Amino acid sequence: MEAQRVFDAHAHLAPRPDSAERILTSMDRNGIDRTVVVAGAAISPDELSRQIIVGGHIEKDADNTAVLEGCAGAPGRLVPFFFANPHREAGEYRSRGTEFRGLKLAPGVHGVPLADERTQALVSAAAELGHNVYLHCLHREGFGVRDLVGLARRFPAVTFVLGHAGVGDLDLYGIDLITDSGNIVFETSGGYTSVVSAAIERLGAERVLFGSEYPLQAPEVELAKFKALGLPADQWRLIAWENTMRLIGETP
């Protein structure tokens, strides 16, 4: 796999003074040029782990202002997404949306199903702003990949990012579910190399994005998956750079 500019499609920026410095150091160490960042620390990893398995939710807001402040110190390198809370009206996102480059939804955090009118109000605002929507799916009714497909059909002009390689680390079924939904792309953090390979084969490299899930995952681990796959240079260029550039509305 030849040297290639890398755009990390998904990482978190916690509301702490040194967060931007830490992620930039990690990016430099791993040869990552740009990173999409969303607020971190809205929920602890232990709480999130429990909610993913047994359900539940929080109604706490993520610190989107801290994300903007962190990105301001590294213009162009850190790209802010708005982490929405469906328990609030969509008005805040709509009014602040031009400061961000996309929308992040976390059903596992806030516990609001994908077909819920509150989720749809936020996606409608994203459509107005020309934003894509990054979200996680869960193995629960109302939160699954099939529910995402239904949401994507309601908003065909919006690009949706299925985060973390679908549900679990072996979601080959999820790949099949989104195959015919051209406005759903696949972000690879957390998935097995076999799943990443299947996504490239079944969806095409133009619908696959490299993401790290920093700081919960070390970016070098996610990069190593692609190195192990030994992709042709044209496929790696799409996955590592061009697809995420298009996602945020920039021409590769």
Side-chain angles (χ1 to χ4, degrees), residues 21-84:
E21 180 182 353
R22 283 171 174 261
I23 193 172
L24 289 167
T25 298
S26 173
M27 289 165 63
D28 290 341
R29 185 174 63 247
N30 290 288
I32 296 173
D33 300 272
R34 305 181 73 185
T35 298
V36 169
V37 291
V38 301
I43 187 172
S44 74
D46 289 289
E47 289 176 299
L48 179 58
S49 175
R50 181 181 183 280
Q51 286 186 187
I52 287 172
I53 301 302
V54 303
H57 72 277
I58 65 167
E59 298 186 11
K60 178 182 176 183
D61 292 324
D63 195 338
N64 290 299
T65 299
V67 169
L68 288 178
E69 291 171 351
C71 291
R77 294 203 72 192
L78 300 179
V79 179
F81 273 35
F82 187 92
F83 194 157

Side-chain angles (χ1 to χ4, degrees), residues 159-162 178 183-187 206-209 247:
T159 297
F160 293 85
V161 183
L162 174 56
I178 69 170
N183 61 327
I184 304 177
V185 298
F186 188 87
E187 185 269 309
E206 65 276 6
R207 289 176 61 190
V208 178
L209 312 176
L247 187 75

Side-chain angles (χ1 to χ4, degrees), residues 19-20 23 90 128-129 132 154 185 225 232 237:
S19 287
I23 193 172
E128 294 170 16
L129 290 161
N132 64 83
R154 294 186 196 99
V185 298
K225 297 194 309 192
R237 183 170 60 252

Side-chain angles (χ1 to χ4, degrees), residues 6-249:
V6 177
F7 200 152
D8 182 346
H10 186 66
H12 291 271
L13 203 61
R16 47 183 288 179
D18 62 347
S19 287
E21 180 182 353
R22 283 171 174 261
I23 193 172
L24 289 167
T25 298
S26 173
M27 289 165 63
D28 290 341
R29 185 174 63 247
N30 290 288
I32 296 173
D33 300 272
R34 305 181 73 185
T35 298
V36 169
V37 291
V38 301
I43 187 172
S44 74
D46 289 289
E47 289 176 299
L48 179 58
S49 175
R50 181 181 183 280
Q51 286 186 187
I52 287 172
I53 301 302
V54 303
H57 72 277
I58 65 167
E59 298 186 11
K60 178 182 176 183
D61 292 324
D63 195 338
N64 290 299
T65 299
V67 169
L68 288 178
E69 291 171 351
C71 291
R77 294 203 72 192
L78 300 179
V79 179
F81 273 35
F82 187 92
F83 194 157
N85 180 356
H87 297 284
R88 310 282 184 209
E89 295 291 333
E92 181 189 1
Y93 167 52
R94 187 175 278 107
S95 65
R96 299 188 65 187
T98 55
E99 301 175 87
F100 298 84
R101 306 295 292 276
L103 174 66
K104 158 72 182 291
L105 295 173
V109 173
H110 292 117
V112 176
L114 299 184
D116 190 284
E117 61 183 10
R118 293 168 291 180
T119 298
Q120 294 190 51
L122 286 165
V123 176
S124 180
E128 294 170 16
L129 290 161
H131 282 173
N132 64 83
V133 178
Y134 181 103
L135 54 79
H136 311 147
C137 289
L138 306 172
H139 185 55
R140 244 188 358 258
E141 186 176 353
F143 298 86
V145 178
R146 191 179 296 279
D147 300 291
L148 171 59
V149 170
L151 185 63
R153 286 174 180 160
R154 294 186 196 99
F155 296 93
V158 175
T159 297
F160 293 85
V161 183
L162 174 56
H164 302 327
V167 180
D169 48 25
L170 190 62
D171 198 3
L172 298 170
Y173 179 55
I175 295 171
D176 290 340
L177 286 175
I178 69 170
T179 297
D180 294 331
S181 300
N183 61 327
I184 304 177
V185 298
F186 188 87
E187 185 269 309
T188 60
S189 62
Y192 291 151
T193 50
S194 59
V195 174
V196 175
S197 180
I200 295 168
E201 178 181 350
R202 300 178 194 183
L203 303 175
E206 65 276 6
R207 289 176 61 190
V208 178
L209 312 176
F210 164 76
S212 72
E213 182 59 359
Y214 171 94
L216 288 180
Q217 174 71 304
E220 46 264 56
V221 174
E222 293 299 323
L223 287 166
K225 297 194 309 192
F226 285 96
K227 185 176 181 180
L229 288 173
L231 300 178
D234 59 336
Q235 290 188 347
W236 177 232
R237 183 170 60 252
L238 287 167
I239 294 165
W241 186 258
E242 294 186 6
N243 296 341
T244 304
M245 287 283 283
R246 277 192 289 271
L247 187 75
I248 65 168

